[in-house]
Amino acid sequence: MDAIFESLPQYWDGFLRTLFLAVISGVIALIVGTILAAMRVSPVAALRGFSTFYVEVARNTPLTIIFFFSAIVLPRLGIKFEQFEVAAVIALSTYTAAFVAEAVRSGVNSVPVGQAEAARSIGMTFTQVLGLVILPQALRTVVPPLINIMIALVKNSSVAGAFFVMELFGYGLQLTNSHGDAVMWILIGVAFFYLLITVPLGLLAHFIEKKVAIAR
Amino acid sequence: MTTQVSGDELVSLNGVNKHYGQLHVLKDINLHVRKGEVVVVIGPSGSGKSTLCRAINRLETIDDGDIAIDGKKLPEEGKDLARLRADVGMVFQSFNLFAHKTILENVTLGPIKVKGMAKAAAEKEAMALLERVGVGHQAPKLPAQLSGGQQQRVAIARALAMKPKVMLFDEPTSALDPEMINEVLDVMIQLAKEGMTMIVVTHEMGFARKAADRVVFMADGQIVEDATPEEFFTNPKSARAKDFLSKLLTH
């Protein structure tokens, strides 16, 4: 137990970095994922094809391999960055965007087709139909699955620890070396700080789900 | 109301064909509707009348032939099509009010976003329209809080807010409880009297008799008869129409 209190500064630093990775990657993934979902339902076949290809590849590749690509392959291709955090954000948002796209797409499909027809028949363009009528309704039904994806993202960010990013899990690895006699407590500490992010997210999902339910 | 309204041709369909796979749903349709005319399309279910109505603002694509609104050919896709649709009001069987918007917003959304109207002006016009169809006091509510008849009247107001050249009604009363049908039909009859050009797909023969200038009878994807209501109901020419009418009148 003492091991946890002694290591609070490291935990705190790791906690903040995990939070940073999750928030930045989460925001990027939400934006990219929504764009991908819009492409997926667009009337342009090439956009649909690209989106499908992206989602299928990113979603079905192990995250560790995506990390490997962004941390090691990208720099060799000439895309260099000072910090490994950048590689971690690229990997996490690339991977998570695919799941966001699928969730948003299922939300779009849950909106009755008559809503889009009504919007088109008053003269809205494709972007207006999507932005003013479909997505506002779709996103409501999509909030709970999206938050689940964000919870998964927080946990997935631990992979960054294996790629030289000192986030919670990275510090966890370091601390288990320095406190070889208290490995269990150190890991319980790591888990606790993850729960500090993920449990409130789950509660938030519950709250928002109730708040934005839409009557039909 | 059997007199033919004179004026320009507003909607014209020439040699329109459509297939759903093997099924030939629209067979060489020719239909011309002049300004101010009220055309009621009737026929057994599966005769293609809804498809015809939806093809006029290209909610359904067609395989060949051409459709023109006010002399302009229906564009394939994109902004031109959106612009043309703004001139064609559509009322659906299932109302399709925007579920996440209030009644007032449902009516103002088109004028504000499509026509670029100022919000205050759009709201003023919308309120006037809602009053006209008798649901003014419902303005702040959400669609789900209204009855079917009220929702359909809002849907008519939403379409009218775009100041369309022609209004399409795709079985506007078929999803309504019987006691609500008349409140919607009354609004439509009023519209017809005011000179709106209307194409109405319906099973309401009373409306056809009262408000239609022409009755178009469809069966198996074809226009079988095109006559005044008087002529059609008292002296149908085709066996198909006679059969259809006899089935209606046995109740």
Side-chain angles (χ1 to χ4, degrees):
Chain A
M1 195 74 161
D2 290 342
I4 294 181
F5 292 109
E6 280 169 22
S7 315
L8 274 181
Q10 287 96 318
Y11 275 133
W12 185 245
D13 192 43
F15 174 78
L16 290 180
R17 198 157 288 118
T18 291
L19 202 59
F20 170 82
L21 286 179
V23 169
I24 301 289
S25 311
V27 169
I28 297 175
L30 281 176
I31 295 168
V32 175
T34 307
I35 294 171
L36 284 166
M39 289 164 78
R40 189 75 178 264
V41 297
S42 88
V44 184
L47 295 180
R48 284 202 302 273
F50 172 80
S51 171
T52 310
F53 176 77
Y54 177 98
V55 168
E56 290 310 319
V57 170
R59 195 167 64 132
N60 295 312
T61 307
L63 178 59
T64 329
I65 293 181
I66 296 180
F67 256 95
F68 183 81
F69 266 91
S70 94
I72 294 158
V73 179
L74 278 188
R76 293 207 177 171
L77 295 175
I79 303 166
K80 297 207 163 53
F81 20 77
E82 299 290 305
Q83 295 147 317
F84 276 107
E85 272 92 340
V86 179
V89 167
I90 292 173
L92 287 169
S93 36
T94 303
Y95 182 72
T96 310
F99 290 89
V100 171
E102 279 299 280
V104 173
R105 184 174 73 103
S106 77
V108 167
N109 288 342
S110 77
V111 178
V113 65
Q115 296 283 309
E117 287 184 347
R120 280 151 68 195
S121 71
I122 56 171
M124 288 190 188
T125 59
F126 173 76
T127 352
Q128 286 177 322
V129 174
L130 204 60
L132 297 171
V133 176
I134 305 302
L135 283 182
Q137 294 184 54
L139 290 178
R140 287 165 212 237
T141 67
V142 156
V143 166
L146 277 185
I147 292 187
N148 282 337
I149 291 170
M150 293 303 129
I151 290 173
L153 166 64
V154 172
K155 297 186 288 176
N156 286 338
S157 69
S158 64
V159 176
F163 288 84
F164 321 112
V165 177
M166 291 310 279
E167 45 66 77
L168 264 177
F169 185 70
Y171 274 114
L173 288 178
Q174 198 185 61
L175 289 172
T176 49
N177 283 330
S178 56
H179 297 73
D181 54 339
V183 171
M184 192 182 77
W185 285 111
I186 291 292
L187 290 180
I188 287 176
V190 169
F192 170 78
F193 279 98
Y194 275 110
L195 291 173
L196 214 54
I197 305 176
T198 52
V199 170
L201 271 178
L203 295 175
L204 181 71
H206 207 68
F207 173 76
I208 296 181
E209 193 173 357
K210 278 191 196 152
K211 190 106 183 166
V212 300
I214 188 160
R216 287 202 189 279
Chain B
M1 279 213 182
T2 54
T3 48
Q4 290 276 307
V5 184
S6 61
D8 311 326
E9 194 170 289
L10 202 54
V11 179
S12 65
L13 288 82
N14 290 306
V16 171
N17 279 287
K18 180 177 177 68
H19 299 257
Y20 283 130
Q22 292 289 322
L23 195 66
H24 198 168
V25 280
L26 294 179
K27 293 177 190 161
D28 198 30
I29 299 288
N30 293 292
L31 180 67
H32 302 271
V33 179
R34 282 182 292 181
K35 200 158 182 267
E37 227 181 349
V38 176
V39 174
V40 167
V41 183
I42 60 175
S45 56
S47 58
K49 52 194 195 304
S50 269
T51 310
L52 172 71
C53 185
R54 291 163 55 85
I56 295 172
N57 67 354
R58 215 179 154 85
L59 286 177
E60 299 282 350
T61 57
I62 54 172
D63 299 336
D64 56 56
D66 62 83
I67 300 177
I69 309 282
D70 205 7
K72 270 176 285 184
K73 226 186 127 195
L74 217 55
E76 295 271 303
E77 263 306 326
K79 290 218 162 52
D80 292 338
L81 178 60
R83 210 165 295 136
L84 191 125
R85 277 181 179 145
D87 288 338
V88 181
M90 175 100 186
V91 175
F92 300 88
Q93 182 177 346
S94 49
F95 332 133
N96 295 343
L97 293 181
F98 305 132
H100 64 306
K101 298 273 184 197
T102 64
I103 296 308
L104 184 64
E105 288 167 342
N106 261 277
V107 182
T108 57
L109 195 65
I112 293 174
K113 298 293 179 182
V114 176
K115 291 197 155 176
M117 218 167 149
K119 193 171 177 233
E123 283 182 350
K124 200 169 154 231
E125 282 191 11
M127 277 313 298
L129 280 170
L130 288 173
E131 294 293 349
R132 184 166 141 200
V133 299
V135 286
H137 54 294
Q138 312 281 9
K141 291 188 184 167
L142 285 169
Q145 294 169 285
L146 270 60
S147 74
Q150 291 170 328
Q151 289 193 48
Q152 193 61 300
R153 284 182 281 153
V154 175
I156 294 173
R158 174 176 67 180
L160 289 176
M162 297 302 292
K163 303 194 175 71
K165 291 175 181 163
V166 52
M167 288 276 283
L168 308 174
F169 293 82
D170 185 9
E171 303 201 25
T173 57
S174 299
L176 295 176
D177 292 338
E179 74 269 25
M180 292 173 185
I181 290 177
N182 280 332
E183 63 188 53
V184 172
L185 290 181
D186 287 345
V187 170
M188 290 167 60
I189 290 169
Q190 191 56 40
L191 258 182
K193 280 188 184 150
E194 288 164 15
M196 174 61 78
T197 312
M198 294 163 67
I199 298 174
V200 184
V201 174
T202 187
H203 294 290
E204 295 298 324
M205 299 306 145
F207 175 81
R209 281 176 196 272
K210 231 187 241 174
D213 296 308
R214 265 160 71 198
V215 172
V216 168
F217 176 72
M218 281 186 79
D220 305 319
Q222 279 171 309
I223 292 182
V224 181
E225 291 200 31
D226 186 342
T228 62
E230 180 72 20
E231 252 172 65
F232 178 76
F233 287 113
T234 54
N235 187 22
K237 290 185 190 69
S238 63
R240 204 74 178 76
K242 280 177 192 159
D243 182 50
F244 178 74
L245 287 172
S246 73
K247 277 177 187 150
L248 287 177
L249 298 175
T250 52
H251 293 289

